[in-house]
Amino acid sequence: MSTVTGMPAAGPSQAISDADRLDAQEILERARKAAPVLRERAEEIEQNRQLPRDVVEILRDTGVFRMAAPGSWGGPEMTSVQQTEVIEAIATGDASAAWCAMIGSDSGIFSGYLDDTVARALFPRLDTITAGFVNPTGRADRVPGGFRVSGKWHFGSGMTHSDLLLAGCVVHRDGAPESAPDGDGVHWRIVIARREDFSVHDSWYTTGLAGSGSCDYSTEDLFVPEEHTFSLLEPQRTGTLHAAPDAILRTMPGVPLGVARAALDHVRELAATRTDKSTGTPWSAHYRFTTAIAEAEMDLAAARYAVYTSLAEQWARLERGQQPTPDERVATALARYKAFEVARSIVNRLYTLVGGSAIYRKRSPMDRWLRDVSTMSQHVDAGVQNLKAAGELLLGGQIPQKTLLW
């Protein structure tokens, strides 16, 4: 029988000095400066199959993990556009690092689903890192004061360096699944506990994103106080970041967009010194290469525009407290889906364009980028089921709010 013990007793209620404060522009600048360092460490990160400790600290020093921390705590409380820009910048350095940064930066969002006093104790510093799988694959049995939690969860990206783990559960009462408060299906609740309260299963042997440490994890009969659990439909903090439940997904397209940007920059640099072997024509003057680069830049620009425009429009709507139309509700989700699709296409086309030299892992970053975008595009949020749900909504159907298509 497991029991939650040793939870932090104090949180960020202490005053934050001016020297410790970071605004959105400073965090973005630090992320851009960190990107070349991460690029140099990319092979090591991949071989390590998780982020090395000092790489975690490089990310922490950028401020990425505090991006969503509330202003009342001294955090920057950045907009979704600002957060995504930071993730995109980090992804130009290394995809696994960016994926972990994207996951860990949700800490400030998750803290807003808890009572503020509880949240301040669970998150003892602005850069507290969370990870975990929020979909309800575990079980939480009601007991006095909370829940007994058991289950196994997959894809715990960044869990190897996280402070806290989240785990989605179906709530059970008297041995049977409990109905959701709104009567729509079963009761889905997310629990938060220390990483040490879970067993980590070394399962992360993958094609790409190898350095993200996205292992399986499990626990058995872990007691979690009720105040350490929440529903994504019941925020306790007000503000734009908590006005719709999809906030934890909005920064995701920054990763594929950043990888595509890095690949394009790399091939454009190659073009300055390469010639086509069959004709002797410089790449910079060869129709096949110039056209391919222009098409890739065009596709990336369109995908970025869709992502950032939809995020900005959504943010403005949320600030005004307006209810979205079906088209507005799916806009960010469709742009997010397209970002993965376009990035995968761009990297694949550039890989083919570069030719045989792209296949060598130690000579070319193209091989890693190809594997990274292939793996991240298998994420559920890049799956066709999201297109199905969006299409149903656009054609007059109804989809549950819990799908996170706002």
Side-chain angles (χ1 to χ4, degrees), residues 31-320:
R32 288 171 174 164
K33 290 178 181 178
V37 178
L38 296 171
R39 177 82 64 86
E40 292 176 0
R41 303 287 298 276
E43 183 178 353
E44 176 192 352
I45 291 170
E46 183 173 52
Q47 293 299 318
N48 202 46
R49 294 191 304 110
Q50 63 185 58
L51 298 188
R53 271 291 163 197
D54 68 317
V55 171
V56 175
E57 293 311 311
I58 289 172
L59 291 177
R60 201 190 299 269
D61 288 344
T62 67
V64 66
F65 297 125
R66 68 172 62 187
M67 292 195 298
S72 60
W73 289 10
E77 201 168 342
M78 292 162 59
T79 70
S80 297
V81 165
Q82 292 169 333
Q83 292 181 45
T84 305
E85 287 176 329
V86 172
I87 299 301
E88 183 182 20
I90 293 171
T92 64
D94 180 70
S96 290
W99 194 265
C100 290
M102 178 265 295
I103 296 293
S105 67
D106 287 336
S107 296
I109 297 173
F110 289 131
S111 71
Y113 286 93
L114 304 170
D115 173 83
D116 192 65
T117 300
V118 174
R120 286 174 182 265
L122 278 174
F123 295 81
R125 55 177 174 172
L126 295 180
D127 298 311
T128 297
I129 303 172
T130 52
F133 192 68
V134 300
N135 287 357
T137 59
R139 172 172 176 155
D141 285 277
R142 285 193 179 276
V143 295
F147 301 91
R148 287 287 174 186
V149 175
S150 298
K152 185 174 184 179
W153 297 265
H154 307 290
F155 308 119
S157 301
M159 64 172 298
T160 53
H161 59 261
S162 68
D163 302 299
L164 299 169
L165 271 179
L166 294 90
C169 298
V170 173
V171 175
H172 285 62
R173 184 190 294 270
D174 299 326
E178 184 176 281
S179 296
D182 61 3
D184 183 17
V186 297
H187 191 176
W188 167 25
R189 205 152 184 87
I190 299 167
V191 307
I192 304 181
R194 298 178 311 172
R195 181 187 53 175
E196 293 79 8
D197 289 313
F198 295 85
S199 298
V200 178
H201 306 278
D202 188 11
S203 56
W204 195 241
Y205 294 86
T206 58
T207 301
L209 292 183
S212 65
S214 305
C215 298
D216 297 349
Y217 59 106
S218 65
T219 195
E220 185 69 29
D221 202 27
L222 172 69
F223 176 73
V224 180
E226 184 157 13
E227 61 268 25
H228 293 176
T229 74
F230 64 92
S231 164
L232 287 171
L233 301 180
E234 300 172 354
Q236 302 302 302
R237 184 181 299 149
T238 59
T240 312
L241 274 177
H242 293 87
D246 70 331
I248 61 173
L249 303 177
R250 295 178 201 156
T251 60
M252 191 173 289
V255 185
L257 292 177
V259 172
R261 179 72 268 159
L264 256 168
D265 289 345
H266 173 71
V267 176
R268 288 176 63 176
E269 289 176 7
L270 289 181
T273 58
R274 296 286 182 92
T275 58
D276 180 56
K277 292 181 180 179
S278 61
T279 64
T281 305
W283 281 13
S284 58
H286 195 290
Y287 178 84
R288 182 166 72 93
F289 293 96
T290 56
T291 302
I293 293 300
E295 289 180 340
E297 288 286 2
M298 175 178 64
D299 291 346
L300 181 57
R304 290 190 79 251
Y305 182 84
V307 166
Y308 285 109
T309 300
S310 64
L311 286 174
E313 290 177 348
Q314 180 195 39
W315 191 269
R317 215 164 34 246
L318 291 171
E319 281 191 316
R320 294 192 298 267

Side-chain angles (χ1 to χ4, degrees), residues 349-362:
R349 283 145 49 194
L350 293 176
Y351 183 91
T352 302
L353 188 69
V354 170
S357 64
I359 69 173
Y360 295 99
R361 293 190 180 193
K362 292 187 178 295

